[in-house]
Amino acid sequence: MIALVGNPNCGKSALFNILTKSNQKIGNFPGITVDIEKRKYKEDIMVDLPGLYSLNYYTKDEKVTVDFLNKNNISLIVNVIDINFLNRSLYLTLQLLKLNIPLIIVLNKCDSNTLIKENKLKELLKVNVIKISATKNKNIDKLKHLIEKKKFVFHNYQDDFTVEKRYYKIDQICNEVIKENNSFKFSNIIDKFLLNKFFSKLIAILIFILIYYLLNIVGNYFTSKISNLMFLFKNLIFNILNFIFR
């Protein structure tokens, strides 16, 4: 049995639909998958489990996932991660590794601006890592090959960290695997300009001045024009009524 596990809104259900050729409901907000969905995949069964952030569950749908992982014979976990939120997602990943079930990390939404050193992440966690885009069907065949041939690394993962130390480890991993995107994109330039601690204050002041100008100068101009139009319209109506009832 192959289990798809990940945070809410990581693209897990979209991937499940592609792999199993099904039509499960998907959406862009948490809580879409609240039940267990099972479909046949090759000679195996693939299961789409409700999204969760930690095996220390707090909600009903998270409990469904944790109970299923603990009570069933899972041959492989496909841990789907939104590549844009690696830091947030790795807490669950480290907990899944402690289950000592073979695991593949799937970095979804690889068409975004976030760049990850997948080989470095594979080296640090000692499991196979693959980048995909479920919405654009990118690298899906490679993932299928990885699942079908079972070319994952399985080891006895030991983690006796406290919560604080685990977050520290996650920060270390992210510092090593997340690459700065130096590609030329107009949006990146705009972001750097607008978020600069000096320019942002100047831009805020200019926006306030612009709003004042629009309200007082441009606003007054249009107000006078509208008043003139209303005056002409009133005179027109008055003349029409005077002509009809005289």
Side-chain angles (χ1 to χ4, degrees):
M1 187 177 293
I2 303 168
L4 268 62
V5 185
N7 293 171
N9 197 29
C10 64
K12 178 169 49 61
S13 295
L15 178 60
F16 178 79
N17 285 344
I18 294 172
L19 294 175
T20 62
K21 299 180 181 178
S22 54
N23 192 29
Q24 184 186 347
K25 184 180 179 182
I26 59 175
N28 62 350
F29 54 90
I32 281 292
T33 306
V34 293
D35 295 315
I36 296 171
E37 293 289 336
K38 297 180 181 180
R39 294 288 187 277
K40 190 170 180 61
Y41 177 78
K42 303 293 182 180
E43 302 302 321
D44 214 327
I45 297 294
M46 183 165 286
V47 185
D48 183 18
L49 297 172
L52 76 170
Y53 294 103
S54 166
L55 296 184
N56 305 318
Y57 57 84
Y58 297 100
T59 65
K60 180 181 177 180
D61 45 326
E62 289 180 332
K63 185 177 185 301
V64 169
T65 298
V66 175
D67 287 347
F68 189 90
L69 291 174
N70 289 331
K71 297 177 181 179
N72 289 272
N73 184 22
I74 310 296
S75 61
L76 174 66
I77 293 176
V78 177
N79 180 205
V80 184
I81 292 177
D82 185 334
I83 199 171
N84 300 298
F85 301 104
L86 182 66
N87 189 294
R88 183 184 70 186
S89 306
L90 283 178
Y91 191 91
L92 174 62
T93 302
L94 295 182
Q95 288 185 313
L96 292 173
L97 287 170
K98 285 187 68 177
L99 299 177
N100 288 319
I101 299 173
L103 183 142
I104 297 172
I105 293 177
V106 175
L107 299 174
N108 191 27
K109 306 181 184 179
C110 68
D111 49 324
S112 68
N113 291 333
T114 304
L115 301 177
I116 302 291
K117 301 174 186 176
E118 54 188 310
N119 289 333
K120 186 64 178 179
L121 185 59
K122 175 181 177 180
E123 175 189 327
L124 292 172
L125 296 181
K126 296 181 174 59
V127 293
N128 270 55
V129 180
I130 182 170
K131 294 178 184 177
I132 71 159
S133 174
T135 56
K136 295 186 177 180
N137 209 30
K138 184 176 181 179
N139 287 341
I140 299 299
D141 288 338
K142 290 183 179 179
L143 175 60
K144 289 179 180 178
H145 181 75
L146 197 63
I147 293 173
E148 292 162 17
K149 298 298 182 182
K150 308 294 186 190
K151 290 182 179 178
F152 45 80
V153 180
F154 174 57
H155 71 296
N156 187 22
Y157 182 78
Q158 299 296 328
D159 178 2
D160 297 325
F161 294 150
T162 62
V163 172
E164 183 180 352
K165 287 184 178 179
R166 187 175 290 134
Y167 277 119
Y168 178 73
K169 179 179 176 65
I170 290 170
D171 287 338
Q172 286 183 313
I173 293 172
C174 289
N175 288 335
E176 291 194 53
V177 303
I178 297 177
K179 295 191 292 185
E180 183 178 354
N181 190 348
N182 295 319
S183 61
F184 178 82
K185 288 198 174 182
F186 184 71
S187 60
N188 293 339
I189 296 175
I190 294 297
D191 286 343
K192 288 182 180 180
F193 184 74
L194 292 178
L195 298 177
N196 182 277
K197 64 179 181 179
F198 299 110
F199 286 120
S200 59
K201 295 176 182 178
L202 176 62
I203 292 170
I205 293 172
L206 292 175
I207 290 174
F208 286 130
I209 294 173
L210 178 61
I211 292 173
Y212 175 82
Y213 176 80
L214 291 174
L215 290 176
N216 289 275
I217 300 177
V218 178
N220 289 337
Y221 172 79
F222 281 106
T223 299
S224 63
K225 292 296 182 182
I226 292 172
S227 296
N228 292 336
L229 287 174
M230 292 299 294
F231 180 76
L232 293 174
F233 182 72
K234 183 187 73 172
N235 288 339
L236 177 63
I237 296 298
F238 179 79
N239 291 333
I240 292 173
L241 293 176
N242 189 43
F243 176 78
I244 293 174
F245 295 104
R246 67 180 178 180

